Amino acid sequence: MATADSAKTLPVTSVGDLVVDGAHQRVYVSDPTSGKIVVTDYAGTVKATLTGLSGVSGLALSADSGQVYAAVKNGNRIVSVETGTYTETASYPVGAAPVDLEVVDGRIWFGYGTDFGSLDVVGAEPVVRLHQRGDVDFFGGTTLLGSDPSAPGVLVAGTGGGLAVYDVTADGATLRVKGSMDTSVKQLDLTPDGSRVLTSWDGTGNGYGLPAYSTTDLNEVASYPIDAYPNAVRIAPDGSVAGGSSSWYEPDVHIHRPGETTPVREYDFPNTGNSSGSDTLVDGALAWAPDGSRVFAVSVNTYGTYTLRTLTDPTKELPKLTVAAPAKAERAKKLTVTGKLTSRTALPAGTVLKVTRTDVESPSGKALPAVTTKADGSFSFADTPPAGGKVTYKVSFAGDATHAAASGADAVEVSRKATTLTLTNNGKLYAYGKDVTFTAHLGSTYKNRTVAIYADPFGSDKPKKLLKSAKVNSQGNLSAVVDMTRDTTVTAVFAGDARSAAKTAKSTAYALAKVSTTVSKHYRTGKIGSTTYYYFRKNTDPVFTTTMNYYAGRKQRFQLQVYYQGSWYDSGSEYFALATNGKSAVSLEAPGESGIRARMRSSYINGSSGDSVNSTTHGAWKYMAFTN
């Protein structure tokens, strides 16, 4: 099973039909709801948008790729768009509401209601012929049409359970044979040789599929089984069949080679919506590139988002290429890599496979001698890895006329000599703002002598930062300076080389907080013994303003002690938030009596102060004496 090769969102709100202009490599998608046609390149990039086409649905390309015809249902007309300039060159009233279009021998055939008609624009004046179904019971739905440029003069039509084959000329449609089909058919198409008509439903009881009916008698002669629920069928110029199904949990597009009922490729759309199932194919939204190199499909998700999907090499089998290398190996010692190339149709013995080795010395890959497969698709080769570390072996099959390209890879961890790397200052404590030099020392290595030093300050607001990356000096040292305003993890990294293993060394150093406190509302200072005191009147409230390096949510701890009979006793502590300028002013209630001595200090307590980016730091004690 394969996934779509490329995808791009379409600026549409619905999809009526799509047609491919191979001469200009353009895809035309009609949007009936928005009344427009979107033109993209093969990659899905929008190149033009034609508007004012209310209810536009069916699309068909002229034989010379010069015009795209569009059925404008709500205007009862068919418009012609010049493919070189994307301009509308003509609008033809047809007297009915056209939906599906086919071009046969230069004439435009259009389905409307339960009938169909033709528009001939070859002569001096356009000629419209309606009611061409003849003696066929079409009922319900809108008539679907099918034709093929390689089958001139043949048109198939069907709706509401009826199916018919017509021979068409400038004079109109002549019924060849009529029959029946399931009422749930979403699309039908004619094989290039004109011998069969395929529909997007198997109504014979044989399961879901694409039944093929003989255009001679409309007897079912084959069926292409696919998943539920079939909703599209398109046939390539070489007879390859693309079938579509609206399948949440199964593949969405199924490719059959001419005459083969087993799919050669299947494409499963991803899930870009909000349901458990994947995106689904829009009814009838399949189209081949004229050269058969691509199939284009439009999917829709549960949000109503439409995506143009380009499926490349659809008729080529998708081989599987597996590669197995040892999990570990020694450098400069021979190892063996094995693998297998398998496909639905076995590839011949001797199939050539490209081998590439990617390692630290060849990051872009180095080509190794090619290897060939055995009869069962297996292969093996020996190699002596010159470099250690992760070594990846990639084996590639270029593809051929019937098989798509494939590749596989596996990695082996190749040994390298252990490397010594150290870093200074682990566990040390520093004053706030001190510039500290961290030195990394690298032991002997093979070639690489470069070390990178990173600093990662504590706290989520400051990311890890590269301080220096350079070669170590002749003593193997490299230094970098850290401004220690926070606890910081410093990391030295050696990336390794072909023979020396990578190595990392870490050192966590700690920084005190910056804490200072000023005192106000005192009337004088003086010493008691050798200690300076701030003197307050007994009825004055002292004010202490603490300044601390700020961090979001940080609080300072205010601690008070009282002096009694020669000792200091705790009188309590409380945390106060810092303003964004790092300040916190606390007013202490006056004692109302003289002779009291007290002291206070502000502290940052790691963890308790609201964060853990600095180490616990106590400010200086401030001493108070209260007098009359």
Side-chain angles (χ1 to χ4, degrees), residues 14-381:
S14 66
V15 172
D17 197 7
L18 70 158
V19 70
V20 181
D21 171 13
H24 302 92
Q25 294 201 345
R26 294 291 182 263
V27 180
Y28 289 72
V29 181
S30 63
D31 179 355
T33 301
S34 300
K36 65 183 179 183
I37 297 173
V38 174
V39 187
T40 77
D41 61 15
Y42 275 10
T45 302
V46 175
K47 296 299 181 180
T49 302
L50 292 85
T51 58
L53 304 170
S54 179
V56 63
S57 184
L59 302 172
L61 183 69
S62 65
D64 62 0
S65 298
Q67 303 288 325
V68 165
Y69 301 108
V72 184
K73 180 180 179 181
N74 295 343
N76 289 357
R77 61 193 178 110
I78 294 174
V79 300
S80 180
V81 177
E82 203 275 318
T83 54
T85 60
Y86 316 122
T87 56
E88 184 179 326
T89 56
S91 178
Y92 304 102
V94 294
V99 176
D100 201 13
L101 292 187
E102 291 288 333
V103 174
V104 181
D105 301 336
R107 282 172 291 280
I108 307 160
W109 294 84
F110 56 93
Y112 66 92
T114 57
D115 211 328
F116 67 93
S118 66
L119 168 66
D120 193 339
V121 297
V122 176
E125 295 292 334
V127 177
V128 176
R129 287 184 172 84
L130 300 176
H131 310 298
Q132 296 291 297
R133 76 180 190 188
D135 182 22
V136 181
D137 290 330
F138 289 165
F139 55 91
T142 301
T143 302
L144 302 173
L145 303 178
S147 69
D148 192 281
S150 298
V154 181
L155 179 73
V156 294
T159 190
L163 180 64
V165 182
Y166 297 87
D167 295 308
V168 294
T169 65
D171 296 325
T174 301
L175 178 64
R176 179 192 297 181
V177 62
K178 63 181 179 179
S180 63
M181 67 178 185
D182 192 274
T183 57
S184 299
V185 167
K186 306 295 184 182
Q187 196 170 48
L188 50 81
D189 205 1
L190 184 67
T191 57
D193 62 5
S195 67
R196 297 179 179 185
V197 55
L198 273 66
T199 69
S200 61
W201 187 268
D202 189 347
T204 64
N206 296 329
Y208 301 111
L210 310 172
Y213 303 97
S214 167
T215 54
T216 302
D217 52 18
L218 287 182
N219 287 327
E220 183 174 341
V221 293
S223 181
Y224 299 85
I226 60 175
D227 293 308
Y229 296 94
N231 67 344
V233 58
R234 279 292 181 242
I235 306 172
D238 69 350
S240 296
V241 175
S245 53
S246 181
S247 307
W248 272 12
Y249 305 106
E250 301 294 341
D252 303 272
V253 178
H254 318 260
I255 308 298
H256 299 259
R257 286 173 177 161
E260 295 183 4
T261 57
T262 301
V264 64
R265 292 281 291 273
E266 291 185 300
Y267 296 86
D268 195 8
F269 298 154
N271 183 2
T272 64
N274 62 354
S275 69
S276 61
S278 63
D279 297 5
T280 56
L281 180 72
V282 176
D283 290 349
L286 280 181
W288 285 87
D291 62 1
S293 63
R294 297 168 178 84
V295 166
F296 298 92
V298 179
S299 66
V300 63
N301 66 14
T302 50
Y303 296 117
T305 301
Y306 292 83
T307 300
L308 179 65
R309 302 187 181 277
T310 304
L311 318 177
T312 60
D313 291 333
T315 60
K316 291 185 177 182
E317 293 181 25
L318 191 64
K320 182 179 180 181
L321 201 161
T322 58
V323 179
K328 295 181 179 180
E330 290 187 46
R331 193 194 66 79
K333 296 290 183 67
K334 184 179 293 187
L335 58 81
T336 300
V337 178
T338 62
K340 196 168 188 178
L341 177 65
T342 57
S343 188
R344 191 187 69 160
T345 302
L347 287 146
T351 297
V352 177
L353 306 177
K354 177 183 175 182
V355 180
T356 304
R357 181 186 65 219
T358 303
D359 55 30
V360 67
E361 289 198 324
S362 303
S364 298
K366 177 181 176 60
L368 300 182
V371 63
T372 58
T373 60
K374 297 178 181 178
D376 64 353
S378 63
F379 61 87
S380 66
F381 61 89

Side-chain angles (χ1 to χ4, degrees), residues 29 45 47 96 124 138-139 217 232 250 280 330 369 380 402 404 407 425 446 451 466 468 482 565 584 609:
V29 181
T45 302
K47 296 299 181 180
F138 289 165
F139 55 91
D217 52 18
E250 301 294 341
T280 56
E330 290 187 46
S380 66
T402 56
S407 65
N425 302 327
Y446 171 54
V451 170
L466 175 65
K468 185 182 289 186
V482 176
Q565 293 184 350
S584 171
S609 284

